Amino acid sequence: MPWSPFRKLTPFADAAKRRGVIVHHLNIGQPDIETPPSVLAAVQQADIRVLEYSPSAGHDSYRRKLAGYYQGVGIDVVAEDILVTAGGSEAILFALLSCLNPGDEVLVPEPFYGAYPSFAVAAGVHIVPITSHIEQGYALPPIAEMERLLTPRTKAILICNPNNPTGYVYSRAELEQLRDLCLRRQLFLLSDEAYREFCYDAPYVSALHLAGLEQHVVLLDTISKRYSACGARIGALVTRNKAVQEAALKFAQMRVSPPGLAQLLGEAATALPATYFDGTKAEYLHRRNVLVARLQAMPGVTCPVPSGAFYVMVRLPVDDTARFAQWLLEAFQHEGQTLMISPAAGFYATPGLGRQEARLAYVRNADELHKAMDCLERALGQYPGRTA
Amino acid sequence: MPWSPFRKLTPFADAAKRRGVIVHHLNIGQPDIETPPSVLAAVQQADIRVLEYSPSAGHDSYRRKLAGYYQGVGIDVVAEDILVTAGGSEAILFALLSCLNPGDEVLVPEPFYGAYPSFAVAAGVHIVPITSHIEQGYALPPIAEMERLLTPRTKAILICNPNNPTGYVYSRAELEQLRDLCLRRQLFLLSDEAYREFCYDAPYVSALHLAGLEQHVVLLDTISKRYSACGARIGALVTRNKAVQEAALKFAQMRVSPPGLAQLLGEAATALPATYFDGTKAEYLHRRNVLVARLQAMPGVTCPVPSGAFYVMVRLPVDDTARFAQWLLEAFQHEGQTLMISPAAGFYATPGLGRQEARLAYVRNADELHKAMDCLERALGQYPGRTA
């Protein structure tokens, strides 16, 4: 079982803080956006005498309202297609356990969400990576290349759309190519859509929008990013495939219930107006534009414009972003400040890849992003391992 | 992956209710005891602006206070020995994943908690059952018999103490025999102590009270039963073995955080005075005495006195408790009422065992228990499959 790839840097960040240095955390996907007060109030004003187990699939009332939410974004599902999970994390684990047998393979475009390899170990399955490239803005790799990596043990393709860590949003054309591949080779398409609401330049297309693929798609979802409620740990596994839903329900019964208090929060969130997202989306878009503009103005830095989520992947003119990230915390400061970044090697399964790349999250406000970019600009000028 | 063994009966219970029959649910471990209002208030009055991820091991403040709780029950651990989990369920899964490799074996006295086989499938390990018998009140099977079942692949023994489903509380002598076996054969002792507070006839002995076994013990715990907060989904994996704690932390990092709101509840619960349990324990003891007295007065029924938890296992004079349980819901009523029981076959891994046994939970008040026993008494007189 691997360690979280980003764990190594934490002690250095803690040490920097102990020295009085302000650390701008661009390394994590924890937004500073307020959790909607009306949604928190639903939990805080609930009349609870006994905090009982909920049904294993989640409260019926919540599942019905969630179905309404999905219908609102053009995803044609009913309550019975939805299993409420402990965060998107549990949805990922249950999907791998339900769609694959031990020893089976799942094809995943890299760079990918850093925890996928751990889920694969826990589920006893293997990740086969297919590399996407910064030169193409991390677009979907050519389908022919993907197909060449399929073996008789490949049971699924796992995508994250909008993508963490790249911010790339798959186009309808790319998704349709994926659909055709999944139909041709009888594969599940596991689609992690945690960032659905955050598409800035093009309409969002869900895997469940793809006609003909309904029986192959398993959506992995969470309210964490949507409502800035990461700590709630409420997600969902959504599929119209009855056999998969049934298998997932067995795993859900194993752990009896998803979190109870947080389900109240999730249920209340379904009552937010669609306009709720206008504000958060505008804020993230502004931050993205600030961050990308600053990064693209730095000599030697490559920064494709990400169309969604709240991350940018950059290539930096340094020998190794893991070493650079540590140096930022250990040896650098500018006006008492520094920043923490995520070295990208942890997002790749292929050894050696990502050593010049890093992920920056724009989960802090534009002022703080400017300060962090002031630090990065100066740091790149001073770093002894600068390459270009 | 197996279905929950008790799922089959639910449609029959629903149908009975639709016919207007009152169903006394003695089949589930969901207490009717109030969740302490001060504990709920801690969540409901918390000042939360952003519901953020907590640390993967749980909030530091909660872990510190939990360590205080454990010290209060004579378990010598510090915050670093504690990993906060999504219910006892996640603690069971993480313990199996952390202590065993895929294909390894864990020895478990049967009858056992009905979800253990599902956790074993999810973790890719095998349960080897060792039968305990109603004639001995479900005491620990002889150690020599247990030792005969050990193979080179056996890595752990899993006990539940006080036991679900039998209510048996292991004596210090039995636990010391287990300790000696674990030391002699280098096994982990995974000890599920969800019902620690509910020991009625003898002092509670934790696996972590056993001198010399500290490095072998992993406690699996939950606040569900302790504070009647089953829906919170907060538990803990507690071990002084650093390597196990480290492995479990990797799985914890995979799912980022345990539930956030419920951690506030768990933390508040640590402030309850030790006397809090006096009331609930007295209530459960009263219920146990009512239920056991009624059962022992029924001809042909065998009912050992359980010393802990809130379950009794009985042997009924029927052909098959699964068939009887269904008949109770489908074909029987007494004054518009019936009861739902858990057929014991689902608690055994050995095929054919438990067909005359059933588990009854005393999670309802004495009045309701009396009504349920009135039903059972008459039902045993009318059931066509009565044997003795």
Side-chain angles (χ1 to χ4, degrees), chain B residues 65-357:
Chain B
K65 290 176 191 173
L66 256 184
Y69 156 79
Y70 286 115
Q71 286 156 14
V73 293
I75 294 175
D76 182 22
V77 293
V78 295
E80 289 69 29
D81 301 325
I82 298 170
L83 177 75
V84 179
T85 56
S89 302
E90 196 178 67
I92 296 169
L93 182 64
F94 286 180
L96 292 177
L97 287 167
S98 301
C99 296
L100 285 77
N101 282 317
D104 283 347
E105 296 169 2
V106 53
L107 188 66
V108 193
E110 65 178 358
F112 48 60
Y113 176 48
Y116 286 160
S118 299
F119 287 111
V121 170
V125 303
H126 301 296
I127 284 182
V128 175
I130 168 107
T131 310
S132 65
H133 299 279
I134 194 168
E135 291 78 8
Q136 282 81 46
Y138 302 104
L140 190 72
I143 285 288
E145 271 183 41
M146 297 183 73
E147 191 153 11
R148 270 199 295 277
L149 292 174
L150 302 179
T151 77
R153 298 229 63 168
T154 313
K155 295 292 157 55
I157 297 173
L158 168 58
I159 59 171
C160 179
N161 183 36
N163 192 273
N164 174 8
T166 68
Y168 188 81
V169 178
Y170 293 114
S171 68
R172 179 170 281 278
E174 285 173 315
L175 289 169
E176 288 180 349
Q177 287 182 310
L178 271 179
R179 174 192 58 192
D180 296 345
L181 178 62
C182 289
L183 288 174
R184 195 161 64 241
R185 300 294 292 259
Q186 285 301 304
L187 302 172
F188 288 109
L189 182 60
L190 314 181
S191 187
D192 178 345
E193 302 187 357
Y195 300 91
R196 177 180 305 118
E197 269 68 25
F198 307 112
C199 293
Y200 310 112
D201 305 318
Y204 151 76
V205 182
S206 167
L208 270 182
H209 290 159
L210 301 169
L213 200 62
E214 294 80 2
Q215 292 303 309
H216 297 249
V217 172
V218 182
L219 286 197
L220 314 172
D221 207 356
T222 172
I223 67 165
S224 291
K225 315 295 178 172
R226 192 148 82 223
Y227 306 115
S228 196
C230 297
R233 313 313 297 136
I234 285 293
L237 182 153
V238 185
T239 183
R240 294 177 57 177
N241 182 308
K242 295 282 175 223
V244 173
Q245 188 63 250
E246 220 173 65
L249 181 59
K250 292 180 189 176
F251 290 102
Q253 288 177 343
M254 167 185 88
R255 54 68 166 142
V256 194
S257 303
L261 292 165
Q263 281 187 79
L264 302 178
L265 188 149
E267 185 166 338
T270 60
L272 289 168
T275 53
Y276 161 74
F277 296 108
D278 297 347
T280 47
K281 202 169 140 178
E283 173 63 21
Y284 282 126
L285 177 58
H286 174 57
R287 294 175 182 188
R288 179 198 72 170
N289 292 342
V290 164
L291 192 62
V292 169
R294 289 295 306 266
L295 288 163
Q296 290 186 337
M298 294 182 202
V301 172
T302 304
C303 175
V305 181
S307 297
F310 36 65
Y311 306 102
V312 295
M313 278 280 277
V314 291
R315 185 159 59 201
L316 301 178
V318 300
D319 53 352
D320 185 326
T321 48
R323 210 171 299 156
F324 177 61
Q326 184 174 333
W327 178 87
L328 280 172
L329 296 167
E330 230 182 354
F332 173 84
Q333 58 160 295
H334 166 62
E335 296 178 353
Q337 300 172 40
T338 190
L339 75 159
M340 190 165 172
I341 61 173
S342 293
F347 302 121
Y348 287 88
T350 305
L353 291 189
R355 286 186 57 189
Q356 287 199 300
E357 291 160 78

Side-chain angles (χ1 to χ4, degrees), chain A residues 34-350:
Chain A
E34 184 175 58
T35 310
S38 67
V39 163
L40 275 168
V43 181
Q44 299 200 309
Q45 290 161 13
D47 183 20
I48 302 167
R49 203 189 71 86
V50 184
L51 184 56
E52 296 191 350
Y53 288 121
S54 73
S56 296
H59 286 300
D60 291 342
S61 55
Y62 180 37
R63 292 166 75 204
R64 277 198 306 275
K65 290 177 191 171
L66 255 184
Y69 156 80
Y70 285 116
Q71 286 155 16
V73 294
I75 295 175
D76 182 23
V77 293
V78 294
E80 290 67 29
D81 301 325
I82 299 171
L83 177 75
V84 179
T85 57
S89 301
E90 196 178 67
I92 297 168
L93 181 63
F94 286 180
L96 293 176
L97 287 167
S98 301
C99 297
L100 285 77
N101 282 316
D104 283 346
E105 295 168 2
V106 54
L107 187 66
V108 193
E110 66 179 0
F112 48 59
Y113 175 48
Y116 286 161
S118 298
F119 287 112
V121 170
V125 303
H126 302 295
I127 285 182
V128 175
I130 168 105
T131 308
S132 65
H133 299 278
I134 193 167
E135 291 78 8
Q136 283 80 44
Y138 303 104
L140 190 72
I143 286 288
E145 269 183 43
M146 296 182 73
E147 193 154 10
R148 270 200 295 278
L149 292 174
L150 302 180
T151 77
R153 299 229 62 171
T154 312
K155 296 292 157 54
I157 297 173
L158 168 59
I159 60 171
C160 179
N161 182 37
N163 193 274
N164 174 10
T166 66
Y168 188 81
V169 178
Y170 293 114
S171 68
R172 179 171 281 277
E174 285 172 315
L175 289 169
E176 288 179 349
Q177 288 183 310
L178 271 180
R179 174 192 60 191
D180 296 346
L181 179 61
C182 289
L183 288 174
R184 194 161 65 242
R185 301 295 292 259
Q186 285 301 303
L187 301 172
F188 288 108
L189 181 60
L190 314 181
S191 185
D192 179 345
E193 302 186 357
Y195 300 90
R196 178 179 305 117
E197 268 67 25
F198 307 112
C199 292
Y200 310 112
D201 305 319
Y204 150 77
V205 182
S206 167
L208 270 181
H209 289 160
L210 300 169
L213 200 62
E214 294 80 0
Q215 292 303 309
H216 297 250
V217 172
V218 183
L219 287 197
L220 315 172
D221 207 357
T222 172
I223 68 166
S224 291
K225 316 295 177 174
R226 193 148 80 225
Y227 306 115
S228 195
C230 296
R233 312 316 295 136
I234 287 292
L237 182 152
V238 184
T239 182
R240 293 178 58 178
N241 183 308
K242 296 283 175 221
V244 173
Q245 188 63 251
E246 219 173 64
L249 181 59
K250 293 180 189 177
F251 290 102
Q253 289 177 342
M254 169 184 87
R255 54 66 164 143
V256 194
S257 303
L261 292 166
Q263 280 187 79
L264 303 179
L265 187 148
E267 187 166 337
T270 61
L272 289 169
T275 52
Y276 161 74
F277 296 109
D278 297 347
T280 48
K281 203 169 139 178
E283 173 64 21
Y284 282 127
L285 176 58
H286 173 58
R287 293 176 183 188
R288 180 199 71 170
N289 292 342
V290 165
L291 192 62
V292 168
R294 290 294 306 264
L295 287 163
Q296 289 186 338
M298 294 181 202
V301 172
T302 304
C303 175
V305 181
S307 297
F310 35 65
Y311 306 102
V312 295
M313 278 279 276
V314 291
R315 186 159 58 200
L316 301 177
V318 301
D319 52 352
D320 184 327
T321 48
R323 209 171 300 155
F324 177 61
Q326 183 175 333
W327 178 87
L328 280 172
L329 296 166
E330 230 183 356
F332 173 83
Q333 58 160 295
H334 166 63
E335 296 178 356
Q337 301 172 38
T338 190
L339 76 160
M340 190 164 171
I341 61 174
S342 292
F347 301 120
Y348 287 89
T350 305

Side-chain angles (χ1 to χ4, degrees), chain A residues 32 35 43-44 49 51 231 260, chain B residues 32 35 43-44 49 51 231 260:
Chain A
D32 65 349
T35 310
V43 181
Q44 299 200 309
R49 203 189 71 86
L51 184 56
Chain B
D32 65 350
T35 310
V43 180
Q44 299 198 310
R49 202 190 72 86
L51 184 55

